[in-house]
Amino acid sequence: MLVWIPFADGRELMGDLPDGVTVDVWDGSDNLPAGHDRVEVLVPPWWPKAAVTDALARMPSLRLVQMLNAGVDWIVDAVPDGVTLCNAGDVNAVEVAEWVMAVVLSHLRRLPGFAAAQAAGEWRPALTPTLRHRRVVVLGYGAIGRALVPMLRPFDADVTVVARTARDGVEPVERLPDLLAGADALLVVAALTEGTRGLVDAELLARLPDGALVVNVGRGPIVRTEDLLVELTAGRLHAALDVTDPEPLPPGHALWSAPNLVLTPHVGGGTTNFMANAFGLVGDQVRRLAAGEDVRFRIDPAAYR
Ligand code: GLV
C-alpha cells in the first residue's frame, strides 16, 4: 500500500506500519512524482490547493484521502466518487477549543488593555467582566464544539449550543437570531458548508447586545467580513478571529487595522502537539485500512452542500 504524506517528519510519528506499506512524501509541487497512479492513501498538503485538487483525479488507485485537520471545505468536492474522505476528527479539538478559551478569557479580563497600561508604565486597576454568568452561544457542535462546551461549564458560563439540527441540548440554527439577542459572546466553531457560508451577517450581528464578543475559529466566510468591520469600527462589538475571509489576509486589508479586534493567523490548532496528534491518527487509519477495518472520522459530502 502506497501512502503519500506532505511532511517527511510525519513518518516516524505514524508508528509501526504493517509490511507492504510504503510511505513517501509529496509536498504539493505541481509535478506529481512517479507513483501517483499507485497511491492508495493521500494525506494532502494544504497548499497549493489547486495542485492538490487536480492531483486527486490523477490517482486511480486512491482509496482514502486523510486530512490532518478538521475543515474539508476546500477539498470535499474534488474527492472522486468511491474514495473515502476522513478529517482529523477530534485529535486536535482540545487545542482549538483552548485557543477559544484563551481569547474569551483575555477579552473579558481585559488583558490587552492591561498590557498596554504596562507598556506605558501605568498602574491602572479596573473592574472587568468575567466569564461567570456570561451568556455564551456556541455555533457548531462538531468535535471542536464538543471539546469547548465542557471547558466553559466550570467557569459557570451560561452556555447555549446551536447547530444545524436540533437535538438534546442543541438548539436549531433557526433560533440563532433570538438567542443572540441575549448573548455576551458568539463563539463560531462550525464547519464551512453551504448552510454556514455568510450566516453571521449584518442582521445577525445587529442582534448582539452592545459590547458583545464575536469569536471565529471555524472558517472566515462564515462571518461576513464587511459586516463585522462595520460593527468593530463603530466600537459596538469586539471580535477575535483566527480565520479570515480572505485568507491569508492580504497586506493593507481593513481587518489589519480594525479596532476592537484580536487577530491570529489560523493557529487555533497550531500547537507543538499538532504533528504527533495528526500523524498518530494517520498511522492508525493506515493500520485499520491494511487490516480491512473501517477507518474513523468519515466525511459525508452531503453535509457540506
Ligand atoms: C483548522 O483549521 C482545521 O480545519 O482543523
Side-chain angles (χ1 to χ4, degrees), residues 46 68-73 88 92 96 144 217-219 242-243 247 266 268-269 274:
W46 290 303
L68 294 172
N69 65 309
V72 300
D73 45 276
N92 224 20
V96 178
I144 296 164
V217 77
R219 281 293 180 269
D242 188 46
V243 289
E247 188 179 315
H266 205 141
F274 174 78

Coordinates of all heavy atoms in Angstrom, one line a residue, residues 46 68-73 88 92 96 144 217-219 242-243 247 266 268-269 274, ligand 1:
W46 N -1.7 21.3 2.4 CA -2.8 22.3 2.4 C -2.7 23.3 1.3 O -3.5 24.0 1.0 CB -2.8 23.1 3.7 CG -3.2 22.2 4.9 CD1 -4.4 21.6 5.0 CD2 -2.4 22.0 6.1 NE1 -4.4 20.9 6.3 CE2 -3.2 21.2 6.9 CE3 -1.2 22.4 6.5 CZ2 -2.8 20.7 8.2 CZ3 -0.8 21.9 7.8 CH2 -1.6 21.1 8.6
L68 N -5.2 16.1 7.8 CA -4.5 16.3 9.1 C -5.3 17.3 10.0 O -4.9 17.4 11.1 CB -3.2 17.0 8.8 CG -2.2 16.1 8.0 CD1 -0.9 17.0 7.7 CD2 -1.8 14.9 8.8
N69 N -6.4 17.8 9.5 CA -7.1 18.9 10.2 C -8.6 18.6 10.1 O -9.0 17.6 9.5 CB -6.8 20.3 9.7 CG -7.3 20.4 8.3 OD1 -7.0 19.6 7.4 ND2 -8.0 21.5 8.0
A70 N -9.4 19.5 10.7 CA -10.9 19.3 10.7 C -11.6 19.7 9.4 O -12.4 19.0 8.9 CB -11.5 20.0 11.9
G71 N -11.3 20.9 8.9 CA -12.0 21.5 7.8 C -11.7 20.8 6.5 O -10.5 20.7 6.1
V72 N -12.7 20.5 5.8 CA -12.6 19.8 4.5 C -13.2 20.6 3.3 O -13.4 20.1 2.2 CB -13.1 18.4 4.5 CG1 -12.4 17.5 5.5 CG2 -14.6 18.3 4.7
D73 N -13.7 21.8 3.7 CA -14.5 22.6 2.7 C -13.8 22.8 1.3 O -14.5 22.7 0.3 CB -14.8 24.0 3.3 CG -13.6 24.6 4.0 OD1 -13.3 24.3 5.1 OD2 -12.9 25.4 3.3
A88 N -9.6 14.9 10.6 CA -8.8 14.5 11.7 C -9.7 14.4 13.0 O -9.1 14.2 14.1 CB -7.7 15.5 12.0
N92 N -7.3 17.1 17.4 CA -6.8 18.4 17.7 C -7.8 19.3 18.3 O -7.5 20.5 18.5 CB -6.3 19.0 16.4 CG -4.9 19.6 16.5 OD1 -4.2 19.3 17.4 ND2 -4.6 20.5 15.6
V96 N -7.8 23.4 19.7 CA -8.5 24.5 19.1 C -9.5 25.2 20.1 O -9.6 26.4 20.2 CB -9.3 24.0 17.9 CG1 -10.1 25.2 17.3 CG2 -8.4 23.4 16.8
I144 N -15.0 20.2 17.7 CA -14.4 21.4 18.5 C -15.5 21.9 19.5 O -15.2 22.2 20.6 CB -14.0 22.5 17.5 CG1 -12.8 21.9 16.7 CG2 -13.5 23.8 18.3 CD1 -12.4 22.7 15.4
V217 N -13.3 30.7 15.0 CA -12.2 29.8 14.8 C -12.6 28.7 13.8 O -11.9 27.7 13.6 CB -11.7 29.2 16.2 CG1 -12.7 28.1 16.6 CG2 -10.3 28.7 16.1
G218 N -13.8 28.9 13.2 CA -14.3 28.0 12.2 C -13.6 28.2 10.8 O -12.6 27.7 10.5
R219 N -14.3 29.0 10.0 CA -13.7 29.4 8.7 C -14.2 30.8 8.5 O -15.3 31.2 8.8 CB -14.2 28.5 7.6 CG -13.5 27.2 7.5 CD -12.1 27.3 7.1 NE -11.4 26.0 7.0 CZ -10.7 25.4 8.0 NH1 -10.6 26.0 9.2 NH2 -10.1 24.3 7.8
D242 N -9.4 33.8 14.3 CA -8.3 33.0 13.9 C -8.3 32.7 12.4 O -7.4 32.1 11.9 CB -8.3 31.7 14.7 CG -7.0 30.9 14.6 OD1 -5.9 31.5 14.6 OD2 -7.1 29.7 14.3
V243 N -9.5 32.9 11.8 CA -9.7 32.6 10.4 C -10.3 33.9 9.8 O -11.1 34.6 10.5 CB -10.6 31.4 10.2 CG1 -9.9 30.1 10.6 CG2 -11.9 31.6 11.0
E247 N -8.3 34.7 3.2 CA -7.2 34.2 4.0 C -6.2 33.5 3.1 O -6.6 32.8 2.2 CB -7.8 33.1 4.9 CG -6.8 32.6 5.9 CD -7.3 31.6 6.9 OE1 -8.4 31.8 7.5 OE2 -6.6 30.6 7.1
H266 N -4.6 31.8 11.9 CA -5.0 30.4 11.7 C -4.1 29.5 12.5 O -3.5 28.6 11.9 CB -5.1 30.1 10.2 CG -6.1 29.0 10.0 ND1 -6.9 28.9 8.9 CD2 -6.4 27.8 10.7 CE1 -7.6 27.8 8.9 NE2 -7.3 27.1 10.0
G268 N -5.2 28.2 15.7 CA -6.0 27.6 16.7 C -5.6 26.2 17.0 O -5.4 25.8 18.2
G269 N -5.3 25.4 16.0 CA -4.8 24.1 16.2 C -3.3 24.0 16.0 O -2.8 22.9 16.0
F274 N 0.6 19.4 17.5 CA -0.2 19.1 16.3 C 0.4 17.9 15.5 O -0.4 17.0 15.1 CB -0.1 20.4 15.3 CG -0.7 20.1 14.0 CD1 -2.1 20.0 13.9 CD2 0.0 19.7 12.9 CE1 -2.7 19.7 12.7 CE2 -0.5 19.4 11.7 CZ -1.9 19.3 11.6
Ligands
GLV1 C1 -8.2 24.0 11.2 O1 -8.4 25.0 10.5 C2 -8.8 22.8 11.0 O2 -9.5 22.6 9.9 O3 -8.7 21.9 11.8

